[in-house]
Amino acid sequence: MMTDWIWLIPPFLVAYGCSLSFPRWDGYGKDELKRYALSARVDPIGCLLIFILCRTLCSLCATSAAGDDSTFTIADAAVELEAKTERRVVPAAIAWFFGLFPVLFHLNATPMSEKSWDKRSWEASQWFGLWIFLTRWIIFAHAMYLSMSLYAEMAGGHFRVEMYSGVTNIAACCTFVSIQYYTLVHFHSHTQKVREKWHKRAVRFDFLQGVTHVPSIFLAISDIFFVKNRELVIATRPSSLVRTMVLCRHLFHRFDQLMAQVMAGVSLTFVATYIAFVVINYTLTRQWPYRMMDDRMTDLPSFFRFFTWQTAVFYSFLLGVIAVEYIAL
């Protein structure tokens, strides 16, 4: 429904308006301010694409095979249950409010690469600004998901089932970006040098990175266990992975079954989209977004090894979230 998409415009405008007045460090040079302006120009396009991707993936999560005729509908049982469950508008509003803070910090307070002593990162961001970083993708997708969840709690119906069906995958994404930042990036030698440079310029680098990376995992887990209606989370839980695999087997019934299984999984679409984006940016700039990638991706085989390993790590987080859901709910 078109109304499911249009409703997001008012809260987005509110968030964007707040970001314009959000405190920004005023010690940037001329080139750095130009790079911030570039990111600001890219933001509306990035937000729209992330919203479309997030909305589509949540819809796919709630889709199930409806028989041998390869038609697909929202799970009837979950929709019937949705009408009987309590609407959690206030908790959803609180989650949406706190979910905006990482976005606002990343929009205005995150230190931009400095040209004189971080030239490679500077070159990497010359086309797409801060959108080269997975963090920006995840926290924006999470904020939009929380916004859609707030609307879903008020509107109900199929849209609410879709949002509940996507909560597991969103939680896995947030867990990944929170943990892998500290595993791969935070303690890297290049990050240590960057931290020292920014500290000399009176920028609280560690605090800003913590604000943009840490809250996501807690907000996502809280969304599952405290914000969402427990009964409906349980009813839509299998759709996060199992139904998507069923869907892919039907959609790709002309292909080998093994190929369909490889392509199965809603989250893999998000992962593949970001990988494709990173490759496009590398083609344009000849630089990777993260300096730790320089050490791990020196040729084509190492490129595939790195992203295969990170995809496996992501799916381990997804399975971990599913396991926690089954144990705790």
Side-chain angles (χ1 to χ4, degrees):
M1 295 284 296
M2 182 61 67
T3 55
D4 292 344
W5 298 71
I6 294 177
W7 71 269
L8 188 64
I9 295 177
F12 171 77
L13 292 177
V14 171
Y16 192 72
C18 292
S19 72
L20 296 179
S21 60
F22 205 73
R24 177 185 293 178
W25 185 63
D26 59 1
Y28 285 122
K30 184 178 179 181
D31 290 335
E32 296 166 304
L33 291 176
K34 286 182 178 179
R35 189 52 50 87
Y36 252 119
L38 169 65
S39 287
R41 291 193 297 269
V42 176
D43 282 341
I45 300 174
C47 288
L48 177 61
L49 295 178
I50 289 293
F51 169 68
I52 293 174
L53 183 62
C54 184
R55 175 70 177 85
T56 302
L57 295 184
C58 285
S59 179
L60 284 175
C61 283
T63 307
S64 60
D68 296 332
D69 58 351
S70 295
T71 57
F72 304 94
T73 60
I74 301 296
D76 294 334
V79 173
E80 293 178 3
L81 177 62
E82 185 279 327
K84 303 175 184 177
T85 56
E86 174 192 5
R87 301 287 177 83
R88 305 275 293 170
V89 177
V90 174
I94 295 173
W96 172 78
F97 177 78
F98 283 104
L100 287 179
F101 280 94
V103 171
L104 296 179
F105 269 95
H106 213 268
L107 274 170
N108 278 289
T110 298
M112 184 65 70
S113 301
E114 210 286 330
K115 188 176 181 179
S116 62
W117 46 264
D118 196 7
K119 186 177 180 180
R120 299 177 74 176
S121 296
W122 174 266
E123 292 176 349
S125 62
Q126 63 184 296
W127 282 85
F128 303 108
L130 293 174
W131 283 97
I132 63 173
F133 299 115
L134 180 62
T135 300
R136 200 170 185 88
W137 285 51
I138 298 297
I139 62 176
F140 270 73
H142 189 210
M144 290 180 180
Y145 171 78
L146 292 175
S147 301
M148 288 187 284
S149 294
L150 174 58
Y151 172 78
E153 293 294 340
M154 296 184 289
H158 288 190
F159 189 65
R160 189 178 180 216
V161 173
E162 291 180 12
M163 293 303 104
Y164 272 70
S165 298
V167 68
T168 302
N169 288 292
I170 291 294
C173 289
C174 293
T175 303
F176 182 88
V177 78
S178 294
I179 293 179
Q180 289 302 90
Y181 167 75
Y182 286 97
T183 302
L184 297 175
V185 180
H186 187 76
F187 299 103
H188 190 268
S189 58
H190 175 266
T191 308
Q192 301 286 350
K193 295 177 182 178
V194 170
R195 179 184 297 109
E196 293 175 2
K197 292 286 187 179
W198 284 115
H199 282 177
K200 291 179 181 178
R201 299 176 75 175
V203 174
R204 300 173 62 187
F205 183 86
D206 288 338
F207 170 77
L208 293 173
Q209 296 300 322
V211 169
T212 53
H213 290 90
V214 174
S216 297
I217 185 172
F218 294 103
L219 287 170
I221 298 301
S222 298
D223 194 28
I224 295 175
F225 295 106
F226 303 109
V227 176
K228 294 285 191 290
N229 181 278
R230 181 176 181 273
E231 292 179 82
L232 198 54
V233 169
I234 294 174
T236 57
R237 183 170 51 196
S239 63
S240 297
L241 188 60
V242 178
R243 285 180 184 162
T244 305
M245 297 181 68
V246 174
L247 170 65
C248 287
R249 284 203 300 273
H250 282 269
L251 286 178
F252 303 103
H253 64 279
R254 293 185 179 89
F255 297 92
D256 182 79
Q257 185 177 3
L258 177 61
M259 175 61 76
Q261 292 174 347
V262 170
M263 299 178 71
V266 164
S267 298
L268 185 59
T269 306
F270 191 94
V271 174
T273 303
Y274 179 71
I275 292 175
F277 177 79
V278 168
V279 172
I280 292 172
N281 188 71
Y282 181 81
T283 303
L284 294 172
T285 66
R286 312 309 298 177
Q287 299 291 348
W288 299 113
Y290 298 97
R291 298 282 63 82
M292 58 86 183
M293 293 173 120
D294 297 333
D295 305 331
R296 293 173 168 85
M297 297 195 297
T298 56
D299 51 27
L300 190 60
S302 61
F303 169 86
F304 283 109
R305 282 197 303 270
F306 176 78
F307 277 110
T308 300
W309 172 246
Q310 291 306 308
T311 302
V313 171
F314 173 80
Y315 271 97
S316 70
F317 289 144
L318 177 61
L319 294 174
V321 172
I322 293 174
V324 171
E325 287 180 356
Y326 272 93
I327 293 172
L329 292 178

